[in-house]
Amino acid sequence: MHKHLPGESIEQKIEERIEEGRFIKFLGKNVVGIADHIGKLVMLFLQIIFWTFRRPYDYKNINKQMNEVGVNSLVVASLTSVSVGMVLALQMGAASKNILGEPLYVGTAVGFSMVKELGPVLTSIVIAGRVGAAITAELGTMRVTEQIDALYTLGANPVKYLVVPRFLACIVMVPILTIYSNILGILGGFFVSVYKMAIPSTRYYHDIVDFMRGKDIMHGLIKCVVFGIIIALISCYKGFTTEGGAEGVGKATTQSVVISMVLILVVDTFLTNILQFVGIG
Amino acid sequence: MIKLTGVYKKFNSQEVLRGLDLTINAGETMVIIGRSGCGKSVTLKHIVGLMKPDKGSVEVDDVNISTLPPLELQSIQKKFGFLFQGAALFDSMNVSDNISFGLRTQHLMNDEKQIQERVTECLRLVGLEGIERTMPSELSGGMRKRVGLARAIAAKPQYILYDEPTTGVDPIMSDAVNDLIINMKEKLGVTSIVVTHDMTSAYTVADRIAMMYHGVIQQVGTPDEIKNTADPVVKQFVAGTAKGPITLEDRG
């Protein structure tokens, strides 16, 4: 409650109330807007599940998307993971040398970091940038040029025809690329350890296999399936809801990449907590 | 028969349709005229179920499509062929795949030879033989529109909706498009709804003309009735004069 304080004029009070009104309106609009997006995302997700299990399968299109998401991302995923593996080995080697006098547990640090965190997160972020942007731009252009409406009128459901192949490609290819990135990252670390820090190769090997359990690998794989879902869902949703011509496509693409990347990092935090809580990794 | 009753549609704060009533009888060609941005395309999209009204109903053959679940709506949508304003050809497919798309997704034809024959036939109808393997990006605006038309008629739909079929097409081709619309009606008994502001085309193809203004139908009548109307709004529009009850700022 506002009391009329001495020295406070009626105009000031009115001004304050207007400010409050504006603030509540601003807050309300945003809360409603976000709730609306979440609702539509859930609806899209349910539609994807429905159409995924409905025959016939469009193998040609699924294959094309798998190629696009998986095979065409190999180079960029390789470069990222090898570099990260090497840097990890260098840093861990230097740190343990400073503290303990010799490079210790380099394989363990590289292996665990890659398999549980950096493999899934970095691969997903690279794919969100490369594939997520392409999906939003393509679907967004189809939306603004009425091609998505045309699909409806020609008896094809756009979710079945456009989204399901991309969704399947993401949830299958992100984990496969992650496994590939993990291997390359560990190999990168291996080369630095063996040839730069003169760690015996058997020691690097045992540093990993003596400690790593099946559930550590599971931990990483569960994460990247979830990240794959995030990338497909956000990029398709943003593409489908694009409006406003070429400028709209640009905006939607940027938003799609930013939202996917931030969500991957935020969800990673929660997911790590949950997975550790239930005893997976 | 298509029947729109009291259809309201709002985009953000802009009310586009304000209680629109319109009935299109089976086998007739209805031309909808009106200023750009007055909601003609929106009306077409309501008829084919691409948009749902905020209030009111859209009935296709006595089925209210505004409340239908998606799968049932999809089976109704198969009755329609739709020529989009910008043709809306699929960029990733060549002309032949564009035209045969509906035939394949709706499993109307399974024999590849039969499909190719239908594609050639449709291309001949729009005067574009021999471009089956061309990609849409290599076509001119008018050609894209004609391929869009070929795609709309390929599955021999019961209803064909034309969104500005003669815009961006040269005058000779425009007359050919008019003939095509008339032929579709006479030979196949197709019901057509044509959105246009090309009055020559409207008078040529229409059984009835409906003028849209301020989100409702201002007047419906035969081409002669519209030509000799007493309604000042319709009179100004069909005569194409800048002076009258419709001002330049008033988008209708």
Short mmCIF file of all heavy atoms in Angstrom, two decimals, chain A residues 47 50-51 54 56 58 60-61 64 138 141-143 145-158 160-162 166 243, chain B residues 12 45 48 50 70-71 74 77-78 80-82 84-93 98 101-102 105-107 151-152 163:
data_model
loop_
_atom_site.label_atom_id
_atom_site.label_comp_id
_atom_site.label_asym_id
_atom_site.label_seq_id
_atom_site.Cartn_x
_atom_site.Cartn_y
_atom_site.Cartn_z
N GLN A 47 2.94 -34.55 -31.36
CA GLN A 47 2.65 -34.84 -32.77
C GLN A 47 3.78 -35.65 -33.41
O GLN A 47 3.53 -36.57 -34.19
CB GLN A 47 2.49 -33.55 -33.56
CG GLN A 47 1.13 -32.90 -33.38
CD GLN A 47 1.03 -31.67 -34.28
OE1 GLN A 47 1.29 -31.72 -35.46
NE2 GLN A 47 0.66 -30.55 -33.69
N PHE A 50 3.49 -39.19 -32.31
CA PHE A 50 2.37 -39.81 -33.01
C PHE A 50 2.75 -40.21 -34.43
O PHE A 50 2.56 -41.35 -34.86
CB PHE A 50 1.17 -38.83 -33.03
CG PHE A 50 0.01 -39.31 -33.85
CD1 PHE A 50 -0.89 -40.23 -33.35
CD2 PHE A 50 -0.20 -38.83 -35.13
CE1 PHE A 50 -1.96 -40.68 -34.10
CE2 PHE A 50 -1.27 -39.26 -35.90
CZ PHE A 50 -2.16 -40.19 -35.38
N TRP A 51 3.34 -39.25 -35.16
CA TRP A 51 3.65 -39.52 -36.57
C TRP A 51 4.85 -40.43 -36.75
O TRP A 51 5.02 -41.06 -37.78
CB TRP A 51 3.86 -38.20 -37.33
CG TRP A 51 2.59 -37.47 -37.59
CD1 TRP A 51 2.16 -36.33 -36.96
CD2 TRP A 51 1.54 -37.82 -38.51
NE1 TRP A 51 0.93 -35.95 -37.42
CE2 TRP A 51 0.52 -36.85 -38.38
CE3 TRP A 51 1.37 -38.86 -39.42
CZ2 TRP A 51 -0.65 -36.89 -39.13
CZ3 TRP A 51 0.21 -38.90 -40.17
CH2 TRP A 51 -0.79 -37.92 -40.02
N ARG A 54 3.68 -43.96 -37.08
CA ARG A 54 2.65 -44.21 -38.09
C ARG A 54 3.30 -44.54 -39.42
O ARG A 54 4.14 -43.80 -39.91
CB ARG A 54 1.79 -42.96 -38.25
CG ARG A 54 0.35 -43.19 -37.88
CD ARG A 54 -0.43 -41.94 -38.11
NE ARG A 54 -1.40 -42.13 -39.17
CZ ARG A 54 -2.59 -42.69 -38.98
NH1 ARG A 54 -2.95 -43.10 -37.78
NH2 ARG A 54 -3.43 -42.84 -39.97
N PRO A 56 3.27 -45.13 -43.59
CA PRO A 56 4.55 -45.71 -44.03
C PRO A 56 5.73 -44.80 -43.67
O PRO A 56 5.55 -43.60 -43.49
CB PRO A 56 4.35 -45.75 -45.56
CG PRO A 56 3.45 -44.60 -45.84
CD PRO A 56 2.56 -44.44 -44.65
N ASP A 58 9.15 -42.90 -44.55
CA ASP A 58 9.74 -42.27 -45.72
C ASP A 58 11.26 -42.50 -45.67
O ASP A 58 12.01 -41.61 -45.29
CB ASP A 58 9.38 -40.77 -45.68
CG ASP A 58 9.81 -40.04 -46.92
OD1 ASP A 58 10.47 -40.68 -47.77
OD2 ASP A 58 9.51 -38.85 -47.03
N LYS A 60 13.63 -42.80 -47.82
CA LYS A 60 14.50 -41.98 -48.66
C LYS A 60 14.84 -40.66 -47.95
O LYS A 60 15.98 -40.24 -47.87
CB LYS A 60 13.76 -41.72 -49.98
CG LYS A 60 14.65 -41.20 -51.09
CD LYS A 60 13.85 -41.03 -52.36
CE LYS A 60 14.28 -39.78 -53.07
NZ LYS A 60 13.28 -39.26 -53.98
N ASN A 61 13.77 -40.05 -47.41
CA ASN A 61 13.94 -38.77 -46.74
C ASN A 61 14.72 -38.92 -45.42
O ASN A 61 15.58 -38.09 -45.10
CB ASN A 61 12.54 -38.22 -46.45
CG ASN A 61 12.50 -36.71 -46.47
OD1 ASN A 61 13.55 -36.06 -46.43
ND2 ASN A 61 11.31 -36.16 -46.51
N LYS A 64 18.32 -39.30 -46.21
CA LYS A 64 18.89 -38.02 -46.63
C LYS A 64 19.23 -37.16 -45.40
O LYS A 64 20.30 -36.54 -45.32
CB LYS A 64 17.87 -37.31 -47.53
CG LYS A 64 18.38 -36.06 -48.19
CD LYS A 64 17.31 -35.46 -49.08
CE LYS A 64 17.53 -33.97 -49.22
NZ LYS A 64 16.33 -33.27 -49.64
N GLU A 138 15.63 -23.70 -43.48
CA GLU A 138 14.92 -24.39 -44.55
C GLU A 138 13.40 -24.40 -44.28
O GLU A 138 12.61 -24.02 -45.13
CB GLU A 138 15.44 -25.82 -44.69
CG GLU A 138 14.90 -26.50 -45.94
CD GLU A 138 15.40 -27.93 -46.11
OE1 GLU A 138 16.25 -28.37 -45.31
OE2 GLU A 138 14.89 -28.59 -47.02
N THR A 141 11.91 -20.86 -44.46
CA THR A 141 11.69 -20.41 -45.83
C THR A 141 10.46 -21.09 -46.41
O THR A 141 9.64 -20.47 -47.09
CB THR A 141 12.92 -20.72 -46.71
OG1 THR A 141 14.06 -20.18 -46.06
CG2 THR A 141 12.79 -20.12 -48.08
N MET A 142 10.31 -22.38 -46.11
CA MET A 142 9.13 -23.09 -46.60
C MET A 142 7.85 -22.50 -46.00
O MET A 142 6.83 -22.42 -46.67
CB MET A 142 9.21 -24.58 -46.24
CG MET A 142 10.26 -25.32 -47.05
SD MET A 142 10.21 -27.09 -46.73
CE MET A 142 8.79 -27.59 -47.71
N ARG A 143 7.94 -22.07 -44.75
CA ARG A 143 6.77 -21.47 -44.10
C ARG A 143 6.39 -20.16 -44.77
O ARG A 143 5.26 -19.95 -45.17
CB ARG A 143 7.03 -21.28 -42.60
CG ARG A 143 6.14 -20.31 -41.88
CD ARG A 143 4.68 -20.69 -41.86
NE ARG A 143 4.40 -21.80 -40.98
CZ ARG A 143 3.31 -22.56 -41.09
NH1 ARG A 143 2.41 -22.33 -42.02
NH2 ARG A 143 3.12 -23.55 -40.27
N THR A 145 7.12 -19.00 -47.69
CA THR A 145 6.73 -19.10 -49.10
C THR A 145 5.53 -20.02 -49.28
O THR A 145 5.25 -20.49 -50.38
CB THR A 145 7.89 -19.61 -49.98
OG1 THR A 145 8.34 -20.85 -49.43
CG2 THR A 145 9.05 -18.63 -50.01
N GLU A 146 4.84 -20.31 -48.21
CA GLU A 146 3.60 -21.10 -48.19
C GLU A 146 3.79 -22.56 -48.61
O GLU A 146 2.81 -23.25 -48.89
CB GLU A 146 2.52 -20.46 -49.09
CG GLU A 146 2.08 -19.09 -48.62
CD GLU A 146 1.02 -18.47 -49.52
OE1 GLU A 146 1.24 -18.46 -50.74
OE2 GLU A 146 -0.02 -18.01 -49.01
N GLN A 147 5.04 -23.04 -48.64
CA GLN A 147 5.24 -24.44 -49.04
C GLN A 147 4.69 -25.40 -47.99
O GLN A 147 4.28 -26.51 -48.32
CB GLN A 147 6.73 -24.71 -49.27
CG GLN A 147 7.27 -24.03 -50.50
CD GLN A 147 8.76 -24.27 -50.67
OE1 GLN A 147 9.23 -25.39 -50.66
NE2 GLN A 147 9.52 -23.20 -50.86
N ILE A 148 4.69 -24.96 -46.72
CA ILE A 148 4.16 -25.83 -45.67
C ILE A 148 2.64 -25.94 -45.80
O ILE A 148 2.07 -27.03 -45.68
CB ILE A 148 4.61 -25.34 -44.28
CG1 ILE A 148 6.13 -25.61 -44.15
CG2 ILE A 148 3.84 -26.05 -43.16
CD1 ILE A 148 6.76 -25.22 -42.86
N ASP A 149 1.99 -24.81 -46.12
CA ASP A 149 0.54 -24.85 -46.40
C ASP A 149 0.27 -25.75 -47.60
O ASP A 149 -0.70 -26.51 -47.61
CB ASP A 149 0.02 -23.44 -46.72
CG ASP A 149 -0.08 -22.58 -45.48
OD1 ASP A 149 -0.06 -23.15 -44.37
OD2 ASP A 149 -0.17 -21.35 -45.60
N ALA A 150 1.15 -25.66 -48.61
CA ALA A 150 0.96 -26.48 -49.82
C ALA A 150 1.00 -27.96 -49.48
O ALA A 150 0.24 -28.75 -50.03
CB ALA A 150 2.02 -26.13 -50.86
N LEU A 151 1.88 -28.34 -48.54
CA LEU A 151 1.94 -29.75 -48.14
C LEU A 151 0.59 -30.22 -47.62
O LEU A 151 0.11 -31.29 -47.99
CB LEU A 151 2.99 -29.93 -47.04
CG LEU A 151 4.44 -30.01 -47.49
CD1 LEU A 151 5.35 -30.04 -46.27
CD2 LEU A 151 4.68 -31.25 -48.33
N TYR A 152 -0.02 -29.41 -46.75
CA TYR A 152 -1.34 -29.78 -46.22
C TYR A 152 -2.33 -30.01 -47.35
O TYR A 152 -3.05 -31.00 -47.36
CB TYR A 152 -1.90 -28.65 -45.33
CG TYR A 152 -1.42 -28.65 -43.92
CD1 TYR A 152 -0.65 -27.61 -43.42
CD2 TYR A 152 -1.77 -29.67 -43.04
CE1 TYR A 152 -0.21 -27.59 -42.11
CE2 TYR A 152 -1.34 -29.67 -41.73
CZ TYR A 152 -0.57 -28.62 -41.27
OH TYR A 152 -0.15 -28.59 -39.97
N THR A 153 -2.36 -29.06 -48.31
CA THR A 153 -3.38 -29.15 -49.36
C THR A 153 -3.11 -30.31 -50.31
O THR A 153 -3.97 -30.71 -51.07
CB THR A 153 -3.49 -27.85 -50.18
OG1 THR A 153 -2.27 -27.67 -50.88
CG2 THR A 153 -3.77 -26.66 -49.32
N LEU A 154 -1.88 -30.86 -50.29
CA LEU A 154 -1.58 -31.99 -51.17
C LEU A 154 -1.64 -33.31 -50.39
O LEU A 154 -1.14 -34.34 -50.84
CB LEU A 154 -0.21 -31.80 -51.82
CG LEU A 154 -0.17 -30.66 -52.83
CD1 LEU A 154 1.25 -30.30 -53.20
CD2 LEU A 154 -0.95 -31.00 -54.08
N GLY A 155 -2.23 -33.24 -49.21
CA GLY A 155 -2.48 -34.48 -48.46
C GLY A 155 -1.28 -35.01 -47.70
O GLY A 155 -1.26 -36.16 -47.29
N ALA A 156 -0.23 -34.18 -47.52
CA ALA A 156 0.93 -34.63 -46.74
C ALA A 156 0.97 -33.85 -45.44
O ALA A 156 0.84 -32.63 -45.46
CB ALA A 156 2.20 -34.39 -47.53
N ASN A 157 1.14 -34.54 -44.33
CA ASN A 157 1.25 -33.82 -43.06
C ASN A 157 2.68 -33.31 -42.89
O ASN A 157 3.62 -34.10 -42.93
CB ASN A 157 0.87 -34.75 -41.91
CG ASN A 157 0.87 -34.02 -40.60
OD1 ASN A 157 1.93 -33.65 -40.09
ND2 ASN A 157 -0.30 -33.76 -40.05
N PRO A 158 2.87 -32.00 -42.72
CA PRO A 158 4.22 -31.46 -42.63
C PRO A 158 5.04 -32.02 -41.46
O PRO A 158 6.25 -32.15 -41.58
CB PRO A 158 3.99 -29.96 -42.41
CG PRO A 158 2.63 -29.69 -42.91
CD PRO A 158 1.85 -30.94 -42.67
N LYS A 160 4.84 -35.09 -40.29
CA LYS A 160 5.28 -36.43 -40.74
C LYS A 160 6.35 -36.29 -41.84
O LYS A 160 7.36 -36.97 -41.82
CB LYS A 160 4.07 -37.19 -41.30
CG LYS A 160 4.42 -38.44 -42.08
CD LYS A 160 4.12 -39.67 -41.29
CE LYS A 160 4.57 -40.93 -42.01
NZ LYS A 160 5.15 -41.89 -41.13
N TYR A 161 6.10 -35.38 -42.76
CA TYR A 161 6.95 -35.30 -43.94
C TYR A 161 8.26 -34.56 -43.68
O TYR A 161 9.31 -34.94 -44.17
CB TYR A 161 6.18 -34.61 -45.08
CG TYR A 161 6.91 -34.58 -46.38
CD1 TYR A 161 7.01 -35.72 -47.16
CD2 TYR A 161 7.53 -33.42 -46.82
CE1 TYR A 161 7.71 -35.71 -48.35
CE2 TYR A 161 8.22 -33.40 -48.01
CZ TYR A 161 8.32 -34.54 -48.76
OH TYR A 161 9.02 -34.52 -49.94
N LEU A 162 8.19 -33.48 -42.87
CA LEU A 162 9.39 -32.66 -42.68
C LEU A 162 10.06 -32.88 -41.32
O LEU A 162 11.29 -32.93 -41.24
CB LEU A 162 9.03 -31.17 -42.80
CG LEU A 162 8.51 -30.67 -44.14
CD1 LEU A 162 8.01 -29.24 -44.01
CD2 LEU A 162 9.59 -30.76 -45.20
N ARG A 166 13.83 -35.42 -39.69
CA ARG A 166 14.88 -34.62 -39.05
C ARG A 166 15.04 -35.00 -37.59
O ARG A 166 16.15 -35.04 -37.05
CB ARG A 166 14.57 -33.13 -39.20
CG ARG A 166 14.79 -32.64 -40.62
CD ARG A 166 14.17 -31.28 -40.87
NE ARG A 166 14.53 -30.76 -42.18
CZ ARG A 166 13.95 -31.10 -43.33
NH1 ARG A 166 12.96 -32.00 -43.33
NH2 ARG A 166 14.34 -30.58 -44.47
N GLU A 243 7.72 -16.09 -39.25
CA GLU A 243 6.90 -15.20 -40.06
C GLU A 243 7.68 -13.94 -40.39
O GLU A 243 8.66 -13.63 -39.72
CB GLU A 243 5.57 -14.86 -39.37
CG GLU A 243 5.66 -14.54 -37.90
CD GLU A 243 4.30 -14.43 -37.26
OE1 GLU A 243 3.41 -15.25 -37.60
OE2 GLU A 243 4.12 -13.51 -36.44
N ASN B 12 -3.31 -10.73 -34.18
CA ASN B 12 -2.91 -9.77 -33.14
C ASN B 12 -4.10 -8.87 -32.85
O ASN B 12 -5.12 -9.34 -32.37
CB ASN B 12 -1.65 -9.02 -33.55
CG ASN B 12 -0.49 -9.98 -33.70
OD1 ASN B 12 -0.37 -10.94 -32.94
ND2 ASN B 12 0.35 -9.76 -34.69
N LYS B 45 -7.96 -19.65 -47.17
CA LYS B 45 -7.27 -20.55 -46.24
C LYS B 45 -8.23 -21.12 -45.19
O LYS B 45 -8.00 -22.21 -44.67
CB LYS B 45 -6.08 -19.84 -45.59
CG LYS B 45 -4.96 -19.69 -46.59
CD LYS B 45 -3.69 -19.14 -46.01
CE LYS B 45 -2.63 -19.12 -47.12
NZ LYS B 45 -1.42 -18.40 -46.71
N VAL B 48 -10.12 -24.13 -46.88
CA VAL B 48 -9.37 -25.38 -47.03
C VAL B 48 -8.85 -25.89 -45.67
O VAL B 48 -8.18 -26.91 -45.59
CB VAL B 48 -8.26 -25.21 -48.09
CG1 VAL B 48 -7.13 -24.36 -47.56
CG2 VAL B 48 -7.74 -26.53 -48.61
N LEU B 50 -6.70 -24.45 -43.59
CA LEU B 50 -5.34 -24.07 -43.18
C LEU B 50 -5.39 -23.09 -42.02
O LEU B 50 -4.43 -22.94 -41.28
CB LEU B 50 -4.59 -23.43 -44.35
CG LEU B 50 -4.15 -24.37 -45.47
CD1 LEU B 50 -3.59 -23.59 -46.64
CD2 LEU B 50 -3.13 -25.37 -44.97
N PRO B 70 -7.32 -33.36 -36.70
CA PRO B 70 -6.38 -33.25 -37.83
C PRO B 70 -6.51 -34.34 -38.89
O PRO B 70 -6.50 -34.05 -40.09
CB PRO B 70 -5.01 -33.31 -37.16
CG PRO B 70 -5.24 -32.88 -35.77
CD PRO B 70 -6.64 -33.24 -35.41
N LEU B 71 -6.65 -35.60 -38.47
CA LEU B 71 -6.67 -36.67 -39.47
C LEU B 71 -7.91 -36.61 -40.36
O LEU B 71 -7.83 -36.84 -41.57
CB LEU B 71 -6.60 -38.04 -38.79
CG LEU B 71 -5.20 -38.48 -38.37
CD1 LEU B 71 -5.25 -39.86 -37.74
CD2 LEU B 71 -4.24 -38.49 -39.55
N GLN B 74 -7.58 -33.80 -42.76
CA GLN B 74 -6.70 -34.16 -43.87
C GLN B 74 -7.47 -34.88 -44.98
O GLN B 74 -7.22 -34.64 -46.16
CB GLN B 74 -5.59 -35.07 -43.34
CG GLN B 74 -4.30 -34.90 -44.11
CD GLN B 74 -3.17 -35.70 -43.48
OE1 GLN B 74 -3.04 -35.75 -42.27
NE2 GLN B 74 -2.37 -36.32 -44.31
N GLN B 77 -9.28 -32.28 -46.84
CA GLN B 77 -8.37 -31.44 -47.64
C GLN B 77 -8.03 -32.09 -48.97
O GLN B 77 -7.66 -31.42 -49.92
CB GLN B 77 -7.10 -31.14 -46.84
CG GLN B 77 -7.32 -30.06 -45.80
CD GLN B 77 -6.14 -29.87 -44.88
OE1 GLN B 77 -5.37 -30.79 -44.65
NE2 GLN B 77 -6.01 -28.67 -44.32
N LYS B 78 -8.17 -33.42 -49.06
CA LYS B 78 -7.87 -34.11 -50.32
C LYS B 78 -8.86 -33.74 -51.42
O LYS B 78 -8.61 -34.00 -52.59
CB LYS B 78 -7.88 -35.62 -50.09
CG LYS B 78 -6.68 -36.09 -49.31
CD LYS B 78 -6.72 -37.58 -49.07
CE LYS B 78 -5.55 -38.00 -48.19
NZ LYS B 78 -5.71 -39.35 -47.66
N PHE B 80 -9.52 -30.81 -52.18
CA PHE B 80 -9.16 -29.47 -52.67
C PHE B 80 -7.87 -29.46 -53.48
O PHE B 80 -6.93 -30.19 -53.18
CB PHE B 80 -8.96 -28.53 -51.49
CG PHE B 80 -10.23 -28.12 -50.81
CD1 PHE B 80 -10.69 -28.83 -49.71
CD2 PHE B 80 -10.96 -27.05 -51.27
CE1 PHE B 80 -11.87 -28.46 -49.07
CE2 PHE B 80 -12.14 -26.67 -50.64
CZ PHE B 80 -12.60 -27.38 -49.53
N GLY B 81 -7.84 -28.58 -54.47
CA GLY B 81 -6.60 -28.22 -55.11
C GLY B 81 -6.41 -26.74 -54.82
O GLY B 81 -7.38 -25.99 -54.83
N PHE B 82 -5.19 -26.33 -54.52
CA PHE B 82 -4.98 -24.94 -54.10
C PHE B 82 -3.84 -24.34 -54.92
O PHE B 82 -2.73 -24.86 -54.89
CB PHE B 82 -4.64 -24.92 -52.61
CG PHE B 82 -4.84 -23.58 -51.95
CD1 PHE B 82 -5.71 -23.44 -50.87
CD2 PHE B 82 -4.15 -22.46 -52.38
CE1 PHE B 82 -5.90 -22.22 -50.24
CE2 PHE B 82 -4.35 -21.22 -51.77
CZ PHE B 82 -5.22 -21.11 -50.69
N PHE B 84 -1.47 -21.39 -54.91
CA PHE B 84 -1.05 -20.32 -54.00
C PHE B 84 -0.61 -19.08 -54.78
O PHE B 84 -0.17 -19.19 -55.92
CB PHE B 84 0.09 -20.81 -53.11
CG PHE B 84 -0.37 -21.79 -52.07
CD1 PHE B 84 -0.44 -23.15 -52.35
CD2 PHE B 84 -0.77 -21.36 -50.82
CE1 PHE B 84 -0.89 -24.06 -51.41
CE2 PHE B 84 -1.22 -22.25 -49.88
CZ PHE B 84 -1.28 -23.60 -50.16
N GLN B 85 -0.71 -17.95 -54.07
CA GLN B 85 -0.37 -16.67 -54.68
C GLN B 85 1.05 -16.68 -55.26
O GLN B 85 1.28 -16.26 -56.37
CB GLN B 85 -0.48 -15.60 -53.61
CG GLN B 85 -0.84 -14.26 -54.14
CD GLN B 85 -1.22 -13.32 -53.01
OE1 GLN B 85 -1.36 -13.69 -51.86
NE2 GLN B 85 -1.39 -12.09 -53.33
N GLY B 86 2.00 -17.20 -54.47
CA GLY B 86 3.39 -17.25 -54.95
C GLY B 86 3.75 -18.63 -55.48
O GLY B 86 4.91 -19.01 -55.49
N ALA B 87 2.75 -19.40 -55.87
CA ALA B 87 2.88 -20.76 -56.41
C ALA B 87 3.28 -21.81 -55.37
O ALA B 87 2.82 -22.92 -55.41
CB ALA B 87 3.84 -20.82 -57.60
N ALA B 88 4.15 -21.42 -54.40
CA ALA B 88 4.56 -22.33 -53.32
C ALA B 88 5.07 -23.68 -53.83
O ALA B 88 4.75 -24.72 -53.28
CB ALA B 88 3.42 -22.53 -52.32
N LEU B 89 5.88 -23.64 -54.90
CA LEU B 89 6.46 -24.90 -55.39
C LEU B 89 7.54 -25.35 -54.42
O LEU B 89 8.19 -24.53 -53.78
CB LEU B 89 7.10 -24.68 -56.77
CG LEU B 89 6.16 -24.19 -57.87
CD1 LEU B 89 6.93 -24.02 -59.18
CD2 LEU B 89 5.00 -25.16 -58.07
N PHE B 90 7.72 -26.68 -54.31
CA PHE B 90 8.77 -27.20 -53.42
C PHE B 90 10.12 -27.02 -54.09
O PHE B 90 10.39 -27.62 -55.12
CB PHE B 90 8.50 -28.67 -53.09
CG PHE B 90 7.15 -28.90 -52.48
CD1 PHE B 90 6.26 -29.80 -53.02
CD2 PHE B 90 6.76 -28.20 -51.35
CE1 PHE B 90 5.01 -29.99 -52.46
CE2 PHE B 90 5.52 -28.39 -50.79
CZ PHE B 90 4.63 -29.29 -51.33
N ASP B 91 10.98 -26.18 -53.47
CA ASP B 91 12.27 -25.84 -54.08
C ASP B 91 13.17 -27.04 -54.30
O ASP B 91 14.00 -27.05 -55.18
CB ASP B 91 13.05 -24.88 -53.15
CG ASP B 91 12.27 -23.63 -52.88
OD1 ASP B 91 11.61 -23.16 -53.81
OD2 ASP B 91 12.32 -23.14 -51.72
N SER B 92 13.02 -28.04 -53.41
CA SER B 92 13.96 -29.16 -53.46
C SER B 92 13.58 -30.20 -54.52
O SER B 92 14.30 -31.17 -54.70
CB SER B 92 14.01 -29.82 -52.09
OG SER B 92 12.71 -30.21 -51.70
N MET B 93 12.44 -30.00 -55.20
CA MET B 93 12.00 -31.01 -56.18
C MET B 93 11.88 -30.38 -57.56
O MET B 93 11.57 -29.19 -57.67
CB MET B 93 10.60 -31.50 -55.82
CG MET B 93 10.51 -32.16 -54.50
SD MET B 93 8.77 -32.57 -54.24
CE MET B 93 8.83 -32.85 -52.48
N ASN B 98 7.09 -32.06 -58.27
CA ASN B 98 6.14 -31.13 -57.67
C ASN B 98 4.71 -31.49 -58.07
O ASN B 98 3.82 -31.58 -57.24
CB ASN B 98 6.44 -29.70 -58.13
CG ASN B 98 7.19 -28.91 -57.09
OD1 ASN B 98 6.63 -28.54 -56.08
ND2 ASN B 98 8.46 -28.68 -57.32
N PHE B 101 3.47 -34.82 -56.68
CA PHE B 101 3.55 -34.97 -55.22
C PHE B 101 2.24 -35.45 -54.59
O PHE B 101 2.20 -36.42 -53.84
CB PHE B 101 3.99 -33.64 -54.58
CG PHE B 101 4.29 -33.75 -53.11
CD1 PHE B 101 5.54 -34.13 -52.69
CD2 PHE B 101 3.32 -33.49 -52.16
CE1 PHE B 101 5.84 -34.26 -51.34
CE2 PHE B 101 3.59 -33.61 -50.81
CZ PHE B 101 4.86 -34.00 -50.41
N GLY B 102 1.15 -34.76 -54.94
CA GLY B 102 -0.15 -35.11 -54.38
C GLY B 102 -0.61 -36.50 -54.81
O GLY B 102 -1.21 -37.24 -54.03
N THR B 105 1.48 -38.89 -52.52
CA THR B 105 1.15 -38.90 -51.08
C THR B 105 -0.26 -39.42 -50.83
O THR B 105 -0.52 -40.01 -49.80
CB THR B 105 1.28 -37.51 -50.44
OG1 THR B 105 0.52 -36.60 -51.22
CG2 THR B 105 2.70 -37.04 -50.35
N GLN B 106 -1.15 -39.16 -51.76
CA GLN B 106 -2.52 -39.64 -51.56
C GLN B 106 -2.75 -41.02 -52.17
O GLN B 106 -3.87 -41.52 -52.17
CB GLN B 106 -3.51 -38.63 -52.15
CG GLN B 106 -3.46 -37.28 -51.45
CD GLN B 106 -4.26 -36.22 -52.20
OE1 GLN B 106 -5.33 -36.50 -52.73
NE2 GLN B 106 -3.74 -35.02 -52.26
N HIS B 107 -1.68 -41.59 -52.71
CA HIS B 107 -1.73 -42.93 -53.33
C HIS B 107 -2.83 -43.03 -54.37
O HIS B 107 -3.56 -44.02 -54.44
CB HIS B 107 -1.90 -44.01 -52.26
CG HIS B 107 -0.84 -43.94 -51.22
ND1 HIS B 107 0.47 -44.28 -51.47
CD2 HIS B 107 -0.87 -43.52 -49.94
CE1 HIS B 107 1.19 -44.08 -50.39
NE2 HIS B 107 0.41 -43.61 -49.44
N ARG B 151 0.00 -28.41 -60.61
CA ARG B 151 0.03 -29.23 -59.40
C ARG B 151 -1.34 -29.25 -58.73
O ARG B 151 -1.77 -30.28 -58.21
CB ARG B 151 1.08 -28.66 -58.43
CG ARG B 151 1.30 -29.52 -57.22
CD ARG B 151 2.39 -28.99 -56.33
NE ARG B 151 2.01 -27.72 -55.70
CZ ARG B 151 2.80 -27.04 -54.88
NH1 ARG B 151 4.02 -27.48 -54.62
NH2 ARG B 151 2.39 -25.91 -54.35
N ALA B 152 -2.03 -28.09 -58.77
CA ALA B 152 -3.35 -28.02 -58.12
C ALA B 152 -4.39 -28.90 -58.80
O ALA B 152 -5.27 -29.43 -58.15
CB ALA B 152 -3.82 -26.57 -58.08
N ASP B 163 -5.66 -18.58 -55.90
CA ASP B 163 -5.31 -17.30 -55.26
C ASP B 163 -4.56 -16.45 -56.28
O ASP B 163 -3.38 -16.68 -56.54
CB ASP B 163 -4.46 -17.56 -54.01
CG ASP B 163 -4.41 -16.36 -53.09
OD1 ASP B 163 -4.87 -15.28 -53.51
OD2 ASP B 163 -3.93 -16.50 -51.95
#
